[in-house]
Amino acid sequence: MDISPQEENMIKALREAALPPLYVLIRIRNDISNDTVNVEESRRDEVVKTLEKYIAPLWEDYHVGKNSQATL
């Protein structure tokens, strides 16, 4: 999958902010999903689906960790 210069700049900015990876992936997914001006619909769908593949396991791990801390 090719990354556009705009997508690359967004990823760099979020990395420099030292945000948690799960937050970054969700933020990028939402921004691209809502960008109807700069990103073609087919491209947008492809990127969103790819990001969701990465988000799902991290989201599950987050909730498992959160639930295990609550039981302590």
Side-chain angles (χ1 to χ4, degrees), residues 4 26 46 61-62 72:
S4 72
I26 292 170
E46 176 187 347
D61 288 348
Y62 168 78
L72 294 177

Side-chain angles (χ1 to χ4, degrees), residues 1-64:
M1 177 175 77
D2 295 329
I3 296 175
S4 72
Q6 179 186 9
E7 293 164 347
E8 187 174 349
N9 289 335
M10 183 172 37
I11 292 168
K12 286 180 183 177
L14 290 168
R15 281 185 183 161
E16 289 170 2
L19 297 169
L22 179 58
Y23 174 83
V24 172
L25 288 172
I26 292 170
R27 176 68 190 266
I28 291 170
R29 181 230 174 262
N30 291 343
D31 287 349
I32 291 172
S33 178
N34 295 321
D35 190 347
T36 58
V37 175
N38 299 312
V39 183
E40 295 177 20
E41 185 176 356
S42 61
R43 172 93 171 125
R44 194 169 52 241
D45 292 342
E46 176 187 347
V47 171
V48 167
K49 286 178 185 175
T50 300
L51 287 170
E52 287 175 348
K53 288 179 186 176
Y54 291 104
I55 291 170
L58 292 172
W59 189 249
E60 185 177 326
D61 288 348
Y62 168 78
H63 282 289
V64 167

